[in-house]
């Protein structure tokens, strides 16, 4: 019996227990092996992805530094400044040194002359650290020599990607830091300055790799515990990536704790597998399910990262990188077809005023609303991209007729002029567009975008809220602007070329002249009458506007003495109002001619009234205290807020001519003007409509209660002697007797 029981036990163990235990062990080993292998593979894939990502970030950093440099190295002013040497030290520091550090995050910058001697150095947060360059000099000699040879021989003169000039960049050790060093030539952007190839001044930019870059990899790309080391001292569980120069030399290592999705999964499931042997198959199935879900999440995360790399985070529109990719594809598809490809550069007019007046959240709201409106106007196949700030680009392939592009530009301008509702404020903004068309304007991506940008500049210079097609004459526009600046300085010195004309303001009710607006005119000795729309913006950019404004103010005060019953209006730029002494200048002009302050009305823009610095506000307060009246000019253009109208300390609202000219269209301009008039009257303000050119416009404005009218229908701006004729003989006799 005892033998039989032993035999049965042996048989049970042999036939049942052993196979079951063996099977269980085999399943456990197989599962464990599968889990170990899959976790190792997942860890390996994640580790390799992180390595590739780090290399891509470093490669992109080289390109972005070179691109940052070109914002100041491809510039006539830079060429002139470096040639001046020490006499332009402040300019060099502001534009080529400290500004590159504060704006782009560069850690050091140097400028060397054609003999490779430093003329400017910036490092450690200050200028003048020449010894830092001397320590760096021997290291970067090959880069400098390589670039000079390229410039001298003309080899590889076609810049890569979006670059405008050749350059040289490499990884090296700078002041005890691993760094990207980029060398760029300082060249003329117009080509008008003669430079000997290979003897250009060079700009050297340095960006360390062991400070902010590590923070970016740690926080933005989830490189856990990343650090820099000169030797590969990676510990247990760490991985290292060698940083290689172009020559293949190792300058150091990035070391971090790699992402281990497989290990994480295995650690979570191991206790379950050890405790529940009978559920091995179910555990394996669950593990495979979890691994699959983890892979999906990794794929989704990677897709999200790819999306963010190619799209603007605020508007979800394609960014510059994706735009360039699509433009290249569209240009390739353009070959052997009769289609046209339009590239439109768009820029919001006076967008900075929104941020300054309502804050950056309001500015972001406006940008998103502009993106939404652009999306509604485009068709399938078009690309709307945001390339930075308030700049957009629209790519329109497969066009057959130029009229399609013109019609689209007009629709965009019309759509952007409609009011925006932002945080309880009704805001008005406008947009300017520049257009270049392939193949008419070329089939090179960089050339097309450059020409579209030039056309945009032309549109903004011509008055904003309009579009311009690129024309060959636009390349000479910058030269013409420089000539106008030079001649305007001469005209200010001579004074005999400048004159002040006056445009009357009529009451809408009985058509009586109540005042005149002083407008500057310039008769050029060779070019004849030069439009104020051309020379006034140039005067503002070059600092001549204050001298012009003082001339107009004093001429107007003198002329007003002949018309004692009229007010005299003078336009004032925001630049003049920012001068703390402006109110005093006005008081001096009034006293000099004995003009009552209440007869003078200064026309200013809302930009000046909402100036955050406070100088404009102080001048306006002082002027109003002395009795001078203030008018809000060009209301409704650029940036204006009906909701904030009651906050502005003014006496009159001047409605911009663009609304008056829009009567009868589907833009709703009549309703906008009605709202402005009603709100102005509710706040005790008078209203004047500019640009009245038809009797229908005048009748409608009178009907809705507008107080004064001004425009070509009534009178153009005329010399002062013609104002006497408009006033009539009776008023002239009254003026004579009073004198």
């Amino acid at each position: 019996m005892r033998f039989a029981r032993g035999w049965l036990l042996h048989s049970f163990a042999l036939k049942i227990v052993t196979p079951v235990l063996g099977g269980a062990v085999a399943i456990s080993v197989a599962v464990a092996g599968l889990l170990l292998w899959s976790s190792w593979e997942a860890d390996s894939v994640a580790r390799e992805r992180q390595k590739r990502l780090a290399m891509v970030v470093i490669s992109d950093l080289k390109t972005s530094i070179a691109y940052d440099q070109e914002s100041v190295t491809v510039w006539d002013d830079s060429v002139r400044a470096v040639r001046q040497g020490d006499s332009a030290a402040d300019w060099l520091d502001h534009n080529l040194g400290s500004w590159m550090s504060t704006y782009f995050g560069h850690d050091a910058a140097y400028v060397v002359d054609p003999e490779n001697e430093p003329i400017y150095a910036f490092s450690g947060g200050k200028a003048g650290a020449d010894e830092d360059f001397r320590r760096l000099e021997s290291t970067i000699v090959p880069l400098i020599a390589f670039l000079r040879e390229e410039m001298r021989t003309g080899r590889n003169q076609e810049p890569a990607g979006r670059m405008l000039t050749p350059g040289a960049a490499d990884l090296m050790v700078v002041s005890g830091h691993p760094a990207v060093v980029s060398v760029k030539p300082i060249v003329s952007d117009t080509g008008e300055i003669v430079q000997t190839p290979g003897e250009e001044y060079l700009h050297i930019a340095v960006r360390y790799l062991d400070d902010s870059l590590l923070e970016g990899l740690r926080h933005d790309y989830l490189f856990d515990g990343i650090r820099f080391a000169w030797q590969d001292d990676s510990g247990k569980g760490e991985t290292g990536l060698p940083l290689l120069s172009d020559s293949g030399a190792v300058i150091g290592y990035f070391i971090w704790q790699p992402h281990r999705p497989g290990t994480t999964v295995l650690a979570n499931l191991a206790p379950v597998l050890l405790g529940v042997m009978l559920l091995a198959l179910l555990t394996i199935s669950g593990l495979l399910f979890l691994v699959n879900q983890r892979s999906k999440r990794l794929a989704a995360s990677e897709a999200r990262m790819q999306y963010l790399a190619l799209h603007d985070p605020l508007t979800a529109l394609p960014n510059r990188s994706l735009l360039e990719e699509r433009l290249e594809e569209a240009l390739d598809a353009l070959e052997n077809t009769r289609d046209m490809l339009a590239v439109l550069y768009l820029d919001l007019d006076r967008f900075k005023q929104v941020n300054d007046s309502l804050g950056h959240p309001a500015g972001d709201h406006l940008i998103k609303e502009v993106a939404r409106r652009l999306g509604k106007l485009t068709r399938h196949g078009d690309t709307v991209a945001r390339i930075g700030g308030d700049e957009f680009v629209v790519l329109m392939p497969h066009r057959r007729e130029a009229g399609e592009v013109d019609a689209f530009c007009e629709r965009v301008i019309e759509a952007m002029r409609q009011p925006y509702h932002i945080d309880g404020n009704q805001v008005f903004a406008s947009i300017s567009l520049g257009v270049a068309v392939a193949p008419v304007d070329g089939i090179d991506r960089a050339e097309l975008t450059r020409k579209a940008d030039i056309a945009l500049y032309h549109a903004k210079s011509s008055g904003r809220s309009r579009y311009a097609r690129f024309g060959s004459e636009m390349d000479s526009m910058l030269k013409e602007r420089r000539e106008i600046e030079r001649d305007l300085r001469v005209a200010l010195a001579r004074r005999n070329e400048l004159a002040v004309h006056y445009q009357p303001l009529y009451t809408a009710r009985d058509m009586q002249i109540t005042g005149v607006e002083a407008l500057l005119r310039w008769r050029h000795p060779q070019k004849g009458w030069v439009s104020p729309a051309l020379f006034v913006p140039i005067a503002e950019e070059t600092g001549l506007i204050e001298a012009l404004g003082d001339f107009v103010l004093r001429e107007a005060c003198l002329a007003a003495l002949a018309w004692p019953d009229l007010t005299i209006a003078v336009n004032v730029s925001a630049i003049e109002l920012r001068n703390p002494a402006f109110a005093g200048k006005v008081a001096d002009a009034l006293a000099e001619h004995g003009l009552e302050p209440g007869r003078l009305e200064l026309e200013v823009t809302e930009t000046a009234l909402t100036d955050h610095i406070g100088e404009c506000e102080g001048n306006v307060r002082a002027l109003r205290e002395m009795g001078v009246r203030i008018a809000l000019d060009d209301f409704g253009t650029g940036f204006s807020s009906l909701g904030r109208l009651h906050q502005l300390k003014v006496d009159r609202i001047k409605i911009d001519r663009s609304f008056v000219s829009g009567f009868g269209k589907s833009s709703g301009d009549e309703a906008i003007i009605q709202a402005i008039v009603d709100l102005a009257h509710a706040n005790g303000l008078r209203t004047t409509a500019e640009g009245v050119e038809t009797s229908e416009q005048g009748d409608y404005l009178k009907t809705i209660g507008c107080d004064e009218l001004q425009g070509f229908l009534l009178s153009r701006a005329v010399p002062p002697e013609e104002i006497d004729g408009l006033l009539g003989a009776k008023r002239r006799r009254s003026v004579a007797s009073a004198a």
Side-chain angles (χ1 to χ4, degrees):
M1 181 69 67
R2 190 179 300 115
F3 172 80
R5 185 179 299 171
W7 183 84
L8 288 174
L9 289 174
H10 176 75
S11 178
F12 177 79
L14 184 64
K15 294 182 178 181
I16 304 299
V17 176
T18 301
V20 170
L21 291 178
V25 171
I27 292 173
S28 299
V29 171
V31 170
L34 177 61
L35 287 175
L36 290 172
W37 176 83
S38 62
S39 64
W40 182 86
E41 280 293 318
D43 293 349
S44 177
V45 169
R47 183 169 57 253
E48 291 303 315
R49 283 179 178 173
Q50 285 189 305
K51 285 184 178 181
R52 289 197 298 271
L53 179 58
M55 290 188 289
V56 167
V57 170
I58 295 173
S59 176
D60 287 348
L61 183 61
K62 284 185 180 181
T63 302
S64 65
I65 291 174
Y67 186 70
D68 295 343
Q69 288 177 275
E70 287 192 345
S71 66
V72 294
T73 58
V74 184
W75 192 8
D76 285 355
D77 289 354
S78 294
V79 177
R80 297 188 189 99
V82 296
R83 288 180 175 181
Q84 294 174 15
D86 292 339
S87 61
D90 290 341
W91 193 98
L92 292 175
D93 182 64
H94 179 73
N95 291 277
L96 300 182
S98 60
W99 185 79
M100 301 295 287
S101 174
T102 57
Y103 191 81
F104 294 114
H106 295 183
D107 295 288
Y110 307 96
V111 178
V112 299
D113 62 18
E115 286 75 37
N116 299 337
E117 289 297 321
I119 68 166
Y120 171 78
F122 176 90
S123 65
K126 62 181 180 179
D130 291 347
E131 63 276 13
D132 289 341
F133 176 80
R134 294 303 180 189
R135 290 193 292 269
L136 174 66
E137 184 176 12
S138 61
T139 308
I140 66 170
V141 164
L143 278 182
I144 294 176
F146 173 78
L147 180 56
R148 291 205 182 279
E149 183 65 16
E150 278 200 335
M151 300 296 290
R152 185 178 300 109
T153 62
R155 184 176 67 244
N156 299 325
Q157 283 293 303
E158 185 65 26
R162 57 182 178 172
M163 296 299 173
L164 301 175
T165 60
D170 201 358
L171 300 183
M172 57 185 63
V173 179
V174 177
S175 300
H177 299 274
V180 172
V181 178
S182 176
V183 185
K184 277 284 184 176
I186 300 176
V187 298
S188 168
D189 60 330
T190 64
E192 295 179 358
I193 300 178
V194 177
Q195 295 177 274
T196 302
E199 297 183 8
E200 298 86 350
Y201 284 76
L202 302 181
H203 183 267
I204 303 166
V206 178
R207 174 70 187 277
Y208 297 150
L209 300 179
D210 57 354
D211 48 17
S212 59
L213 179 64
L214 292 181
E215 286 296 319
L217 290 172
R218 183 179 299 115
H219 293 101
D220 298 340
Y221 300 100
L222 305 181
F223 281 68
D224 187 25
I226 190 168
R227 57 188 172 85
F228 173 81
W230 299 108
Q231 302 293 332
D232 187 1
D233 59 354
S234 54
K236 182 179 180 181
E238 292 184 324
T239 188
L241 174 68
L243 302 180
L244 304 177
S245 66
D246 289 347
S247 64
V250 178
I251 67 169
Y253 294 83
F254 278 167
I255 299 173
W256 69 92
Q257 288 284 348
H259 186 45
R260 296 185 179 85
T263 301
T264 301
V265 172
L266 182 61
N268 291 334
L269 295 178
V272 177
L273 291 173
L274 293 175
V276 190
M277 293 294 296
L278 295 178
L279 300 177
L281 183 59
L282 182 60
T283 304
I284 293 173
S285 300
L287 177 61
L288 293 176
F289 173 77
L290 291 176
V291 170
N292 181 58
Q293 291 299 106
R294 185 72 175 186
S295 299
K296 287 181 179 180
R297 287 195 293 272
L298 287 173
S301 176
E302 187 174 281
R304 178 62 178 168
M305 292 173 63
Q306 180 72 6
Y307 179 86
L308 292 175
L310 297 175
H311 290 80
D312 172 54
L314 178 62
T315 62
L317 293 176
N319 60 13
R320 188 186 295 272
S321 297
L322 184 54
L323 172 70
E324 292 177 350
E325 180 182 320
R326 291 186 180 178
L327 180 53
E328 289 285 5
E329 293 174 355
L331 288 171
D332 292 340
L334 195 63
E335 296 181 5
N336 303 320
T337 70
R338 300 179 61 186
D339 290 346
M340 296 188 305
L341 168 66
V343 178
L344 285 69
Y345 259 60
L346 300 85
D347 184 83
L348 281 175
D349 300 325
R350 305 180 182 93
F351 171 70
K352 184 177 182 294
Q353 300 164 19
V354 179
N355 283 335
D356 290 347
S357 302
L358 298 181
H360 289 281
D364 290 345
H365 188 128
L366 178 59
I367 289 294
K368 289 191 285 187
E369 179 62 19
V370 169
R372 187 189 66 81
R373 293 187 185 184
L374 285 175
K376 292 179 65 176
L377 292 171
T378 53
R379 71 183 189 184
H380 179 72
D382 295 344
T383 295
V384 179
R386 182 187 180 211
I387 59 174
D390 59 338
E391 296 179 346
F392 296 84
V393 172
V394 177
L395 183 62
M396 303 174 65
H398 311 303
R399 292 303 195 273
R400 291 295 179 92
E401 298 181 1
E404 294 183 61
V405 180
D406 294 334
F408 176 80
C409 291
E410 292 173 357
R411 290 197 302 273
V412 169
I413 292 173
E414 189 66 28
M416 297 307 164
R417 289 178 60 242
Q418 302 306 308
Y420 300 83
H421 299 278
I422 301 176
D423 296 334
N425 294 299
Q426 194 173 38
V427 175
F428 296 92
S430 61
I431 201 165
S432 299
L433 301 91
V435 182
V437 178
V440 177
D441 298 323
I443 57 173
D444 177 74
R445 173 180 58 78
E447 186 69 8
L448 272 177
T449 53
R450 183 186 73 86
K451 290 179 176 178
D453 199 18
I454 290 176
L456 172 62
Y457 179 79
H458 180 79
K460 296 182 80 70
S461 300
S462 301
R464 306 176 187 270
S465 190
R466 62 191 63 199
Y467 74 95
R469 281 175 166 273
F470 176 80
S472 56
E473 72 282 355
M474 290 183 184
D475 273 331
S476 61
M477 184 176 64
L478 296 178
K479 180 180 178 182
E480 180 183 357
R481 289 175 64 84
R482 285 192 291 271
E483 292 176 353
I484 289 176
E485 177 190 350
R486 180 197 62 205
D487 294 345
L488 187 57
R489 293 183 184 275
V490 174
L492 270 169
R494 294 176 178 172
R495 295 295 177 99
N496 60 343
E497 299 176 18
L498 300 175
V500 179
H501 289 188
Y502 301 88
Q503 186 174 27
L505 281 74
Y506 290 80
T507 59
R509 182 175 55 85
D510 53 13
M511 301 307 293
Q512 295 296 313
I513 298 178
T514 60
V516 293
E517 179 181 356
L519 298 170
L520 181 62
R521 296 293 183 262
W522 177 22
R523 184 192 289 273
H524 193 281
Q526 285 81 39
K527 299 177 182 179
W529 290 108
V530 181
S531 170
L534 181 59
F535 72 80
V536 169
I538 295 176
E540 290 181 337
E541 293 174 8
T542 56
L544 299 176
I545 193 64
E546 291 192 86
L548 288 176
D550 186 67
F551 171 78
V552 174
L553 175 64
R554 296 184 182 277
E555 288 290 315
C557 289
L558 177 61
L561 298 178
W563 311 313
D565 297 331
L566 304 184
T567 60
I568 189 83
V570 177
N571 288 280
V572 178
S573 75
I575 295 174
E576 293 177 273
L577 273 181
R578 292 192 189 106
N579 186 343
F582 178 73
K585 290 183 178 180
V586 175
D588 291 343
L590 292 171
E592 178 183 349
H593 299 289
L595 184 66
E596 296 178 7
R599 293 185 56 206
L600 177 63
E601 184 172 84
L602 299 182
E603 297 186 4
V604 300
T605 63
E606 188 176 358
T607 306
L609 291 179
T610 57
D611 179 68
H612 68 283
I613 298 176
E615 295 293 352
C616 296
E617 182 182 352
N619 275 317
V620 169
R621 187 186 308 111
L623 290 166
R624 288 175 62 86
E625 288 176 356
M626 71 174 69
V628 175
R629 293 192 287 183
I630 305 296
L632 183 58
D633 195 16
D634 295 335
F635 187 80
T637 62
F639 161 66
S640 299
S641 169
L642 288 176
R644 300 179 64 254
L645 189 57
H646 67 282
Q647 302 174 6
L648 304 177
K649 304 301 183 182
V650 298
D651 304 285
R652 180 192 303 273
I653 299 296
K654 297 197 73 176
I655 304 168
D656 188 69
R657 66 183 66 246
S658 62
F659 290 102
V660 177
S661 64
F663 282 8
K665 300 179 182 178
S666 60
S667 57
D669 287 336
E670 294 92 335
I672 293 174
I673 292 182
Q674 179 73 72
I676 294 173
V677 170
D678 291 344
L679 189 55
H681 287 170
N683 286 276
L685 308 177
R686 297 186 65 81
T687 56
T688 299
E690 300 178 300
V692 181
E693 299 182 359
T694 67
S695 57
E696 290 80 3
Q697 293 171 348
D699 292 341
Y700 178 78
L701 290 165
K702 176 180 178 181
T703 301
I704 65 174
C706 189
D707 299 303
E708 281 90 20
L709 307 179
Q710 182 182 13
F712 292 166
L713 173 67
L714 307 171
S715 173
R716 295 176 179 269
V718 296
E721 56 269 17
E722 295 188 29
I723 294 295
D724 295 333
L726 293 174
L727 290 173
K730 181 177 180 180
R731 180 164 292 186
R732 288 200 304 273
R733 287 195 298 270
S734 175
V735 172
S737 63

